[in-house]
Amino acid sequence: MDKGVRHTISVSVVNEFGVLSRIAGLFSGRGFNIESLCVAETLDPKVSRMTIVTTGDDRILEQITKQLNKLVNVIKVYDLTGEEYFERELALIKVNIKQDTRTEILSIVDIFRAKIVDVSPRSYTLEVTGDENKIRAITELLRPFGIKEIVRTGRIALGRSPKAK
Amino acid sequence: MKKSGAEIFLECLKKEKVDTIFGYPGGAVLPIYDVLYKADMRHILVRHEQGAVHMADGYARASGRPGVVLVTSGPGATNTVTGLATAYSDSIPMVVFTGQVPTALIGNDAFQEADIVGITRPCTKHNYLVKDVKDLARIVKEAFYIATTGRPGPVLIDLPKDVQTAVTDFSYPDNVDIPSYQPNLKGHSGQIKKALKLILASERPVIYAGGGVISSNAAAELTSFVRKLGIPVTNTLMGLGGFPGDDPLFMGMLGMHGTYAANMAMTNTDCLIAIGSRFDDRVTGKIDEFVPYAKIIHLDVDPTSISKNVAVDIPIVGDIKNVLKVMLKELTGAAKFKRSIKAWRTEIDGWAATHTLSAKQDKKKKIRPQYVVDRLYALTKGDAIITTEVGQNQMWSAQFYKYKNPRTFLTSGGLGTMGYGLPAAIGAQVAFPEKTVIDIAGDGSIQMNIQELATAVDQKLPVKIAILNNRFLGMVRQWQELFFDKRYSSTCIGNKPDFVKLIEAYGGVGLRAKTPDEVDNVIKQALKITDRPVLMDFVVDATEDVYPMVPAGQPLNKMLLV
Ligand SMILES: Cc1ncc(C[n+]2csc(CCOP(=O)(O)OP(=O)(O)O)c2C)c(N)n1
């Protein structure tokens, strides 16, 4: 079956014990896939905002949004795909350094507007923020130097239109 | 006024006008049982927690009021899971209270601790862990509201023991305020107009009505809508009773064991009006060939049901009763339309006449199970509440008993839970002490909650059990006969126990019919008993199969017929 298009869905939920597992359970129980999921409190401490990245054809996406809406703790579901929105992800990357590779790595850091957050004799730890392509690009460039560890936050997104709130 | 959590529990139930709790005690609910000791509240002591949940379910299906269950933590709570999943599948309103270990011990693998909120998340409409006694009244109020509104379903409340003993000011909220839960009950008026237009332009319309008609109490509206337009009706298993089973416009059940007429009508219709039904695979058969010529209108309160399995042309999300009322009001030109579809009805009558369901009994042969159901129908004049187990007994009960009224046929449709029928019958009898309630059972299924005979005896409930005793797990045997070359692997359960002796041991009445001539007499005797349960053991022909049958994955018109 055609896996369909990737969608970024923004979900506001009541910030309550167990909500995350309700949502995760909904996806696993119905065989929907989650590529990434981010969740944190909003300005209103009673409400959390999740950004879920998933793929599926129109019918699956319709089911995902409806099923999410059906959960008692879900306040609002908004599929950002197909309209203007910003998407960001943060990655922490620990990369090997040697005498002769430092400058090259530093210039990559510079070009990508990354930051060095920690230095040790054998590695730098970089922080980089951007959309998926940017994270992928810097990872590819750093890979030849030896990436010891990488951790990514998963994507968060915000729509431009007021409706998307 | 200051009250303990246990007292608040009781007060809340009274505010919700609960008259009966089905329950079973244990360490983690002792404070509540202590309050119940002197309370003015009926408590039905069951023999297994699964039985309690099915009883609450039967009570809810028969009466329309939510069922209430109380059990202890750990094993008491886990024993409710099948009952919850059964009710969740069939959208039955109930509130289940489970005891829990004290809050300080939660997560410590304490004695009789189970994460029941985690376990039941996928088989409840919603569930709660009460961590503070101050939240208890609000949560109970919300639970009843959620269980009974929108698409109904079971809600579970986990009550730690220290919350039951903690004391707080009690006041029951007048309203619920859950901004994230707002079921849409009013159908979209533009969609309703479009639907009416499509119906009136059709030539071969069919109404396919499911359990939603019953849960929204819309049988009367459906019946007048149908009669005005003269559109033939088929019901799903869950929908039986939502339209009078003896009406000339009724084609019988559809789907895997549906009638020839209903399945042929589905195959040929040009306008399918799905009302409170969800296009289950047992109904659609091969999905790509389902209603090949039809435009589809789908009316349902649950948006997730719409276009889930089958894409529909005109969805209407709303409470069925509301929407049908509006449709009835807006309807014009019904009489003319009714005349215009005469030919279609004649065609359907033709199908009905070619392949009828037959309960004919050769008096010299073994008892046919179909005949037993037919006689139960005749001798109760169609006025009983019927519950079923699962398997052939369930399908024959659907085919051969005609349900005139909603809430008179109680069966586990979605989950297909063997062991449902007896406790459900007890629950229905609790709700309607004066009515005849019969569990039509298989000899396999009845043994899955047979212990509840003790409950029925205790409570002096005259539930009737009619076992269609074929010494087999009949429905599974039927599949083995048809699709596995008669290799009857683990389906012969033999002639045991002696059911007549068994019910006598419990304190009920046992009757047996071995020949066709004895059937009526056994039923008549059973119907006279009013103070204790009675079991009728019908020793039937083990080779009988349920027909018609659409093999799984085949289109509806590819029926195996007798
Ligand atoms: C709890 C449970 N276990 C297994 C099944 C699978 N199953 C479906 S029908 C059936 C046979 C039922 O036998 P019986 O109760 O004797 O009824 P009959 O089909 O003979 O009328 C079985 C085992 C089920 N539906 N439920």
Side-chain angles (χ1 to χ4, degrees):
Chain A
M1 201 181 69
D2 178 23
K3 273 193 69 194
V5 186
R6 174 182 293 164
H7 287 249
T8 304
I9 305 171
S10 165
V11 188
S12 308
V13 299
V14 180
N15 189 4
E16 219 171 69
F17 165 83
V19 191
L20 182 59
S21 79
R22 274 181 217 283
I23 298 212
L26 174 81
F27 275 76
S28 64
R30 294 190 177 267
F32 304 143
N33 81 324
I34 300 185
E35 284 184 22
S36 91
L37 186 154
C38 280
V39 52
E41 219 172 84
T42 61
L43 285 178
D44 178 351
K46 291 203 282 295
V47 177
S48 291
R49 173 95 168 234
M50 290 188 183
T51 307
I52 302 176
V53 181
T54 182
T55 44
D57 58 23
D58 288 352
R59 225 194 63 203
I60 290 176
L61 255 293
E62 185 181 327
Q63 269 300 308
I64 291 177
T65 23
K66 283 175 170 177
Q67 293 287 357
L68 283 168
N69 262 314
K70 192 167 149 180
L71 293 178
V72 171
N73 288 330
V74 168
I75 303 164
K76 185 169 177 167
V77 181
Y78 197 87
D79 187 350
L80 291 158
T81 317
E83 65 179 76
E84 270 191 82
Y85 67 97
F86 304 102
E87 191 178 86
R88 289 292 179 273
E89 182 171 3
L90 185 146
L92 294 173
I93 306 171
K94 195 182 281 179
V95 61
N96 290 331
I97 50 172
K98 285 200 208 105
Q99 198 57 41
D100 57 340
T101 58
R102 273 186 199 191
T103 36
E104 206 176 332
I105 292 173
L106 283 174
S107 76
I108 292 172
V109 167
D110 204 30
I111 293 164
F112 281 86
R113 293 193 208 163
K115 261 197 303 202
I116 295 186
V117 289
D118 191 34
V119 181
S120 80
R122 293 184 186 193
S123 67
Y124 285 153
T125 300
L126 321 180
E127 172 196 313
V128 60
T129 317
D131 61 13
E132 197 198 357
N133 289 334
K134 182 172 165 187
I135 306 285
R136 193 185 311 125
I138 191 169
T139 323
E140 285 315 312
L141 286 174
L142 293 173
R143 198 190 293 274
F145 303 103
I147 294 176
K148 287 172 97 161
E149 255 186 287
I150 178 165
V151 55
R152 295 162 61 165
T153 55
R155 269 161 275 166
I156 54 172
L158 210 54
R160 283 196 75 177
S161 101
K163 268 193 308 179
K165 220 180 125 220
Chain B
M1 209 200 324
K2 294 247 184 247
K3 284 194 184 300
S4 72
E7 289 164 336
I8 291 172
F9 162 87
L10 180 68
E11 289 309 310
C12 292
L13 293 195
K14 287 186 177 164
K15 294 278 186 196
E16 291 294 332
K17 304 199 172 54
V18 172
D19 57 15
T20 308
I21 300 172
F22 300 92
Y24 203 82
V29 281
L30 277 170
I32 292 181
Y33 271 90
D34 195 48
V35 166
L36 289 177
Y37 188 66
K38 37 193 189 304
D40 177 22
M41 172 69 69
R42 185 167 188 194
H43 177 271
I44 308 259
L45 175 62
V46 303
R47 294 301 184 272
H48 187 302
E49 289 87 352
Q50 185 187 352
V53 186
H54 292 325
M55 283 179 209
D57 175 313
Y59 175 95
R61 291 191 207 221
S63 69
R65 298 191 298 273
V68 175
V69 174
L70 172 63
V71 300
T72 191
S73 66
T78 55
N79 272 348
T80 66
V81 170
T82 303
L84 286 165
T86 303
Y88 186 60
S89 275
D90 290 344
S91 310
I92 305 306
M94 68 168 69
V95 180
V96 173
F97 293 87
T98 51
Q100 182 55 282
V101 302
T103 42
L105 291 182
I106 291 178
N108 278 311
D109 304 322
F111 177 64
Q112 293 196 327
E113 179 184 358
D115 173 14
I116 199 63
V117 168
I119 290 170
T120 60
R121 219 168 260 140
C123 60
T124 52
K125 183 169 173 186
H126 196 56
N127 60 18
Y128 294 91
L129 169 65
V130 185
K131 287 187 177 158
D132 185 335
V133 70
K134 293 194 192 77
D135 298 329
L136 179 56
R138 173 186 57 82
I139 287 176
V140 175
K141 178 88 187 175
E142 286 183 7
F144 276 89
Y145 180 70
I146 291 170
T148 53
T149 52
R151 178 175 180 172
V155 176
L156 180 141
I157 300 177
D158 202 20
L159 274 178
K161 196 169 182 180
D162 56 323
V163 172
Q164 299 167 36
T165 51
V167 172
T168 189
D169 279 322
F170 170 69
S171 74
Y172 200 59
D174 294 323
N175 300 305
V176 278
D177 177 27
I178 321 172
S180 56
Y181 176 74
Q182 307 282 345
N184 182 6
L185 300 178
K186 236 181 112 249
H188 188 280
S189 63
Q191 293 290 92
I192 291 178
K193 285 202 174 74
K194 271 205 251 172
L196 283 173
K197 214 170 137 192
L198 184 69
I199 294 170
L200 292 173
S202 71
E203 293 171 3
R204 300 187 307 279
V206 165
I207 287 176
Y208 141 57
V213 171
I214 292 166
S215 42
S216 88
N217 295 313
E221 287 75 12
L222 174 67
T223 307
S224 48
F225 186 73
V226 170
R227 292 198 175 141
K228 278 211 164 91
L229 289 162
I231 301 177
V233 181
T234 179
N235 272 148
T236 66
L237 181 68
M238 292 306 299
L240 292 171
F243 184 77
D246 52 1
D247 191 288
L249 284 168
F250 187 58
M251 300 183 285
M253 184 171 70
L254 82 164
M256 183 172 275
H257 293 296
T259 63
Y260 185 71
N263 285 344
M264 290 307 288
M266 292 297 284
T267 309
N268 290 281
T269 176
D270 65 348
C271 176
L272 183 68
I273 307 146
I275 306 182
S277 45
R278 60 186 177 88
F279 300 84
D280 181 85
D281 53 278
R282 285 291 189 262
V283 156
T284 60
K286 187 176 182 188
I287 204 99
D288 307 334
E289 292 178 42
F290 178 66
V291 294
Y293 310 111
K295 288 254 188 277
I296 306 177
I297 297 162
H298 188 188
L299 220 150
D300 205 292
V301 75
D302 179 4
T304 66
S305 284
I306 287 174
S307 292
K308 184 175 64 180
N309 305 336
V310 172
V312 304
D313 300 284
I314 305 180
I316 304 173
V317 177
D319 175 64
I320 289 164
K321 195 184 183 81
N322 285 347
V323 175
L324 282 175
K325 273 188 180 158
V326 178
M327 289 180 109
L328 276 165
K329 215 187 304 157
E330 303 224 333
L331 185 64
T332 51
K336 184 168 159 239
F337 175 77
K338 193 171 177 174
R339 284 192 299 276
S340 76
I341 58 168
K342 268 261 162 64
W344 169 234
R345 283 176 56 188
T346 314
E347 197 174 352
I348 291 173
D349 290 344
W351 287 318
T354 26
H355 296 281
T356 45
L357 299 171
S358 166
K360 268 210 195 88
Q361 175 72 54
D362 181 337
K363 288 287 157 81
K364 288 194 267 322
K365 292 198 172 147
K366 291 181 189 150
I367 303 174
R368 291 186 70 215
Q370 298 90 326
Y371 173 72
V372 175
V373 179
D374 187 58
R375 294 314 297 159
L376 285 168
Y377 174 64
L379 294 170
T380 57
K381 303 186 179 67
D383 284 331
I385 294 176
I386 301 292
T387 72
T388 78
E389 302 294 341
V390 172
Q392 295 179 315
N393 59 84
Q394 179 182 35
M395 292 299 117
W396 287 320
S397 304
Q399 292 177 330
F400 292 93
Y401 201 100
K402 296 187 184 69
Y403 302 94
K404 293 186 276 191
N405 295 302
R407 305 192 177 281
T408 58
F409 179 60
L410 322 182
T411 194
S412 168
L415 200 67
T417 307
M418 291 171 68
Y420 171 79
L422 172 57
I426 293 173
Q429 190 82 78
V430 168
F432 293 102
E434 304 303 325
K435 282 209 167 181
T436 301
V437 182
I438 308 175
D439 172 28
I440 300 182
D443 48 315
S445 302
I446 191 67
Q447 297 186 60
M448 286 212 176
N449 272 314
I450 193 85
Q451 75 287 346
E452 299 309 330
L453 282 175
T455 309
V457 170
D458 261 3
Q459 302 287 334
K460 302 190 170 50
L461 294 170
V463 292
K464 320 281 186 277
I465 300 150
I467 301 184
L468 309 178
N469 190 344
N470 55 13
R471 284 82 65 208
F472 271 95
L473 301 174
M475 185 56 94
V476 184
R477 184 203 59 74
Q478 174 170 343
W479 282 57
Q480 290 170 334
E481 177 188 338
L482 296 173
F483 312 118
F484 292 88
D485 258 340
K486 305 194 176 171
R487 288 186 296 277
Y488 297 130
S489 178
S490 298
T491 45
C492 178
I493 54 175
N495 193 11
K496 64 188 103 57
D498 180 332
F499 286 108
V500 170
K501 280 193 186 147
L502 184 75
I503 188 164
E504 283 169 355
Y506 274 107
V509 178
L511 304 165
R512 178 170 290 132
K514 287 179 166 167
T515 63
D517 287 332
E518 294 167 343
V519 169
D520 272 23
N521 199 16
V522 161
I523 297 173
K524 281 181 196 156
Q525 264 181 274
L527 291 176
K528 280 192 206 128
I529 293 163
T530 56
D531 60 346
R532 71 192 85 172
V534 46
L535 186 151
M536 299 166 264
D537 187 23
F538 295 101
V539 182
V540 300
D541 184 347
T543 63
E544 280 291 343
D545 284 341
V546 182
Y547 288 111
M549 178 173 194
V550 179
Q554 293 286 320
L556 288 184
N557 60 343
K558 295 270 152 47
M559 281 164 274
L560 308 176
L561 299 153
V562 228

